[in-house]
Amino acid sequence: MTNVLRWHRPLMVFTAAMAVLAVIAGIGVFTDPRVLTGAPIWLKPFKFAVSFVVYAATLAWMLSLLPRRSRIAELAATVILATSVAEIVVIVTQVVRGTTSHYNESTALNSALFQVMGTSILILFIAHLVLGVVIARGRLADRVSAHAVRWGLGLSLVGMLAAIPMVMPGQAPPGVDGVSGAHSVGVADGGPGLPLVGWSTTGGDLRIGHFVGLHALQALPLLALLLGTRLDQATRIRLLAVGGFAYAILTVLLTWQALRGQPLLQPDALTLTAWALLAAAAAGATGAVLALRRRPDLELAA
């Protein structure tokens, strides 16, 4: 616990604040009868608050791995914090006002708030990139953890980029004024969706690839942890590379599936083939890495 308290303090304070917001928004989901785009109005603040808890805490942990303090990294983390605050403030403000935050340009105020969110996300992307470069260049004590962190930071940038199609000109719903984008493809936002996450069950949903890509930040370090210490270091690093490449391709495939208007759980034959090829390639690469691993008995014999 002492080590956790020594992590990047502003990020940890933000983590605690978002945890409190998640509780408040969670209560709002069940006590506020208002519905917005087919979901309880407080569901979006709840999901974003939980996401920010995980994101900020993960970045704070990654900063703690650096062998020495980096002013550039800490400045980038502070910028990420500021832009995250701006985004969540807009989201909560719009919920209190009873309207949407994303893609909402129905009035001058709504448009200005959405522009604040867009600008904040762009700045956050740049700061995240800077932070990733600094940490990637840092000489972390554990080489396996270092590779996991680099993969996680890099792939999370891919996840951020996966959101770009949501605001492309062709993504705005036809015949609807004041809306400049959408996360659903082939159907209107707010239709039937999977429990909690709300991903469309009748059309494509660009949030899926975005979500999966962003959480590479946690998935790759978790993979490194699951690999344990029974395998030699070189083998674990190679397996992380296999996992990283597979994760990147999965993020692209999920975005491609959504852009073709397909629900996650209703893939067509082409999508199933792509998934199968990815699984086979990942399994084959994993098998090849394990076949080449160092065997202690052979090292002793040598």
Side-chain angles (χ1 to χ4, degrees):
M1 177 62 71
T2 303
N3 290 336
V4 172
L5 295 177
R6 291 178 179 175
W7 292 356
H8 190 269
R9 183 170 297 177
L11 282 176
M12 294 309 295
V13 170
F14 180 66
T15 299
M18 290 301 96
V20 172
L21 176 60
V23 173
I24 295 173
I27 294 172
V29 168
F30 296 101
T31 59
D32 192 331
R34 293 178 297 168
V35 174
L36 193 63
T37 60
I41 197 168
W42 283 97
L43 184 59
K44 177 171 286 188
F46 172 78
K47 292 192 293 185
F48 269 79
V50 172
S51 180
F52 276 131
V53 165
V54 178
Y55 179 64
T58 302
L59 290 184
W61 166 71
M62 289 181 173
L63 280 169
S64 74
L65 299 178
L66 290 172
R68 62 182 63 86
R69 291 185 61 181
S70 167
R71 291 184 178 179
I72 296 177
E74 292 188 358
L75 176 59
T78 302
V79 171
I80 288 173
L81 170 61
T83 54
S84 299
V85 169
E87 184 171 7
I88 198 67
V89 165
V90 171
I91 290 172
V92 173
T93 297
Q94 292 296 69
V95 165
V96 172
R97 296 180 65 232
T99 188
T100 57
S101 51
H102 287 72
Y103 325 122
N104 189 349
E105 296 187 340
S106 58
T107 68
L109 176 58
N110 290 334
S111 180
L113 290 174
F114 182 50
Q115 292 302 317
V116 167
M117 292 182 67
T119 302
S120 297
I121 293 170
L122 176 59
I123 296 173
L124 184 149
F125 178 89
I126 295 171
H128 184 103
L129 175 61
V130 171
L131 182 63
V133 170
V134 173
I135 295 178
R137 290 172 58 88
R139 295 185 177 181
L140 278 60
D142 183 351
R143 287 189 61 208
V144 177
S145 295
H147 281 267
V149 167
R150 289 164 187 162
W151 275 108
L153 286 165
L155 291 175
S156 58
L157 287 170
V158 176
M160 293 181 190
L161 292 175
I164 290 178
M166 298 182 193
V167 293
M168 297 297 286
Q171 189 61 11
V176 180
D177 295 330
V179 179
S180 60
H183 53 71
S184 299
V185 179
V187 295
D189 286 352
L194 295 175
L196 186 59
V197 291
W199 297 337
S200 178
T201 55
T202 57
D205 200 314
L206 293 164
R207 293 175 297 182
I208 302 172
H210 179 53
F211 175 89
V212 170
L214 283 178
H215 287 287
L217 202 63
Q218 295 81 36
L220 272 296
L222 179 60
L223 175 58
L225 181 64
L226 292 175
L227 290 174
T229 57
R230 298 184 64 180
L231 296 171
D232 63 272
Q233 185 181 82
T235 297
R236 284 180 284 154
I237 290 173
R238 293 188 188 108
L239 288 175
L240 278 172
V242 172
F245 279 114
Y247 203 97
I249 295 171
L250 175 62
T251 301
V252 173
L253 285 180
L254 290 171
T255 304
W256 170 66
Q257 179 184 0
L259 287 170
R260 292 163 57 230
Q262 289 180 23
L264 176 65
L265 302 182
Q266 298 177 33
D268 63 8
L270 182 59
T271 301
L272 286 173
T273 300
W275 285 358
L277 289 173
L278 174 59
T286 299
V289 169
L290 293 176
L292 294 172
R293 72 186 186 277
R294 295 177 182 175
R295 292 177 53 184
D297 54 336
L298 292 180
E299 290 181 357
L300 289 175

